[in-house]
Amino acid sequence: MYIHTMIKKVFFFAYFMLFTLPAIAQQKALAARILADQRLDTIQARALQLLTGFTAGASYGEVWIRDFNTFIKGSLVVHDKEKVKEMLLLFFHMQGRDGNIVDGMIPKQKAQAGYDYIYSDLAPEWAAHKNTVETDQESSLVQAVYKYVRHSGDTGILHTVIDHQTVLQRLAAALQYVHNARWSSRYNLVTGATTIDWGDVQPEKGWGVVINDHTKWSIDIYDNAMYAIALKEYAELSGDAATYLPLYNELKNNVRKYLWQAGKNKYLPHLYLDGSPFSPDFKEDEILYTGGSVCAILAGFHTTREIKSINRQMLAAAAKEKYATIGITVYPPYPEKEFPNMKPYVYQNAGDWTWFGGRMIQALTEQGMVKEAYEELGPMLDRALSHHGFYEWYDVQTGAPKGSGDFRGEAGVLYDAITLLKDWARRH
């Protein structure tokens, strides 16, 4: 017995010396690198300077909920929480009677972008619009309120009454709207118009952000992952886990059943409900959807092994283009013949968006893959520093920055990713 005990002690000591100590040393070295990296401090400082505003960016007059959701944590650093709360509550003032949430809002006198504007007596000085091809507005607002409550400590917002309904009730109505108006009873999954990954433009020429006679309804990972995150976070906000966590679990199971391709470790781009808008010989299944995949990881849909595989595929896609990072939206891009409304390597059709690449850095860090997160963040930091701004997207063939030069979505996700990395480094 004594000999057996001694052998076990020697074994554990040897294991500790061979594996545990080197791992601890590597973590300490990585933590030191992160804390000494002045790029992180510079980017965070610049991000906070930009987050003094709420519009999506310099070229946008609107406050968009899908963008605001991704920079609200930084907003709470530079603004009094009451100011952030006021902006959030505006979306409830513009909420439809069926529970739907608008995309963006703009002061009424500036409403000249050509949208079919929405008005409300509860906010008479504002005009709003909704890009109806997408199904992420409701989920984005739930997530934004969750971040606000978690980082401000202000639970009072949940009980604020707007036209006889509390914010909690209005959030529940928003979630129910998706189930009522954007739901496939056959698959028990969220539906939307066919777009590129998380994008908001349909393939056909014309005003592609609004449902029309050409719309092809489909199911994709982005809309479902965003809704799943919202269900889980609303369960926490409301304290009603008994109702909302089963809905989350059912959604997760159906995503795994119908969209996740286990043999390829990637998502099916679309599951079509009434036919595809693309040519019969077009192999859409070969396209990697990066943004939706990131949201699926954040939604808790994946094992560590699967996350590593997704990350490898994103790195492999980026390696095929000279100036790409893991933020490249899809790969390969849709040919112009198939998607005439957006040419290859333009905007959401294989443009490079730190807005989503930065979220992958957050996902990797939360999964303990900190070395990968830090290394994959580097090209995004260098790009932002070299161009002296937070650009909306980047051309992966030329490296040129595109779109708004002061895009708050990029600033917000970089600020959050760096915060997570620094927090990890301080603990190690």
Side-chain angles (χ1 to χ4, degrees):
M1 185 70 177
Y2 173 77
I3 294 175
H4 183 259
T5 302
M6 289 301 296
I7 291 173
K8 285 178 64 177
K9 288 183 177 179
V10 170
F11 173 79
F12 284 120
F13 178 75
Y15 183 89
F16 179 79
M17 295 298 291
L18 286 171
F19 299 103
T20 307
L21 273 183
I24 292 173
Q26 289 173 4
Q27 286 189 339
K28 287 186 176 298
L30 177 58
R33 285 177 62 199
I34 290 171
L35 294 177
D37 192 337
Q38 295 184 358
R39 295 177 302 171
L40 305 181
D41 302 327
T42 300
I43 289 294
Q44 281 201 309
R46 290 184 181 180
L48 291 178
Q49 290 174 359
L50 180 57
L51 296 183
T52 52
F54 293 102
T55 63
S59 62
Y60 291 95
E62 302 92 353
V63 179
W64 296 67
I65 189 54
R66 63 182 348 204
D67 300 78
F68 190 22
N69 174 41
T70 61
F71 63 79
I72 191 169
K73 294 179 188 177
S75 294
L76 284 166
V77 176
V78 296
H79 290 283
D80 182 273
K81 68 180 181 182
E82 292 301 319
K83 180 65 177 176
V84 179
K85 177 180 178 178
E86 177 185 346
M87 190 58 64
L88 271 179
L89 291 178
L90 267 177
F91 284 93
F92 295 104
H93 285 87
M94 304 300 295
Q95 186 172 14
R97 292 188 179 278
D98 58 0
N100 88 83
I101 300 300
V102 299
D103 257 293
M105 301 177 302
I106 191 169
K108 185 185 294 186
Q109 67 272 21
K110 297 181 180 180
Q112 300 169 355
Y115 291 105
D116 184 9
Y117 284 104
I118 301 164
Y119 300 93
S120 170
D121 292 340
L122 300 178
E125 69 278 20
W126 289 85
H129 69 273
K130 187 176 181 72
N131 288 10
T132 53
V133 298
E134 258 303 337
T135 314
D136 69 344
Q137 301 92 339
E138 293 74 24
S139 301
S140 294
L141 184 56
V142 174
Q143 293 175 30
V145 172
Y146 177 82
K147 292 185 182 81
Y148 170 81
V149 171
R150 186 174 180 186
H151 291 274
S152 72
D154 179 17
T155 57
I157 188 176
L158 301 174
H159 309 290
T160 300
V161 177
I162 300 170
D163 195 25
H164 310 297
Q165 286 185 299
T166 66
V167 165
L168 263 182
Q169 290 171 326
R170 287 181 169 275
L171 288 175
L175 291 171
Q176 188 62 43
Y177 164 79
V178 175
H179 200 277
N180 291 345
R182 297 296 181 92
W183 197 259
S184 167
S185 57
R186 177 181 176 184
Y187 298 103
N188 277 323
L189 288 170
V190 178
T191 67
T194 298
T195 64
I196 296 177
D197 197 2
W198 52 267
D200 56 1
V201 179
Q202 296 182 114
E204 295 82 4
K205 285 285 189 181
W207 190 233
V209 300
V210 178
I211 291 167
N212 56 39
D213 293 341
H214 299 291
T215 297
K216 290 294 185 182
W217 290 93
S218 63
I219 296 169
D220 65 29
I221 182 54
Y222 171 70
D223 291 336
N224 282 278
M226 288 289 285
Y227 192 63
I229 294 170
L231 287 171
K232 191 158 54 172
E233 292 181 347
Y234 186 76
E236 185 175 334
L237 288 174
S238 64
D240 191 2
T243 298
Y244 288 93
L245 288 187
L247 295 176
Y248 163 84
N249 288 324
E250 181 182 15
L251 190 71
K252 175 182 176 180
N253 291 337
N254 288 329
V255 163
R256 301 280 305 187
K257 181 177 180 180
Y258 296 113
L259 290 176
W260 177 244
Q261 299 174 292
K264 299 180 179 179
N265 274 343
K266 68 182 290 292
Y267 279 99
L268 188 71
H270 292 105
L271 182 61
Y272 292 103
L273 303 180
D274 57 357
S276 165
F278 306 120
S279 304
D281 59 345
F282 176 56
K283 298 179 180 178
E284 188 189 18
D285 292 3
E286 296 180 359
I287 296 177
L288 176 68
Y289 270 32
T290 61
S293 299
V294 171
C295 292
I297 294 171
L298 292 170
F301 287 176
H302 291 288
T303 65
T304 300
R305 182 185 63 80
E306 290 169 346
I307 294 168
K308 289 181 178 179
S309 179
I310 292 170
N311 190 50
R312 284 194 297 270
Q313 292 178 68
M314 293 171 69
L315 287 169
K320 293 178 180 178
E321 300 295 340
K322 185 176 180 179
Y323 296 99
T325 74
I326 60 168
I328 190 169
T329 314
V330 293
Y331 202 82
Y334 285 79
E336 184 175 1
K337 170 179 176 291
E338 303 297 339
F339 214 102
N341 231 355
M342 200 180 298
K343 293 182 179 180
Y345 298 107
V346 172
Y347 206 54
Q348 295 153 356
N349 194 8
D352 193 319
W353 294 69
T354 303
W355 191 30
F356 279 86
R359 284 186 241 189
M360 184 60 170
I361 305 306
Q362 297 173 40
L364 292 172
T365 304
E366 290 172 352
Q367 291 294 324
M369 299 169 63
V370 181
K371 180 175 182 293
E372 294 88 343
Y374 178 59
E375 290 176 352
E376 292 170 39
L377 175 64
M380 300 182 213
L381 299 176
D382 294 338
R383 185 168 61 185
L385 291 170
S386 66
H387 292 295
H388 306 286
F390 298 102
Y391 281 84
E392 197 168 3
W393 62 283
Y394 301 83
D395 189 314
V396 299
Q397 297 184 305
T398 67
K402 300 287 185 176
S404 175
D406 293 308
F407 183 52
R408 292 189 171 92
E410 175 172 343
V413 298
L414 286 178
Y415 179 85
D416 291 348
I418 292 169
T419 297
L420 285 175
L421 283 170
K422 285 184 174 180
D423 287 348
W424 177 89
R426 293 187 186 103
R427 294 195 304 271
H428 292 79

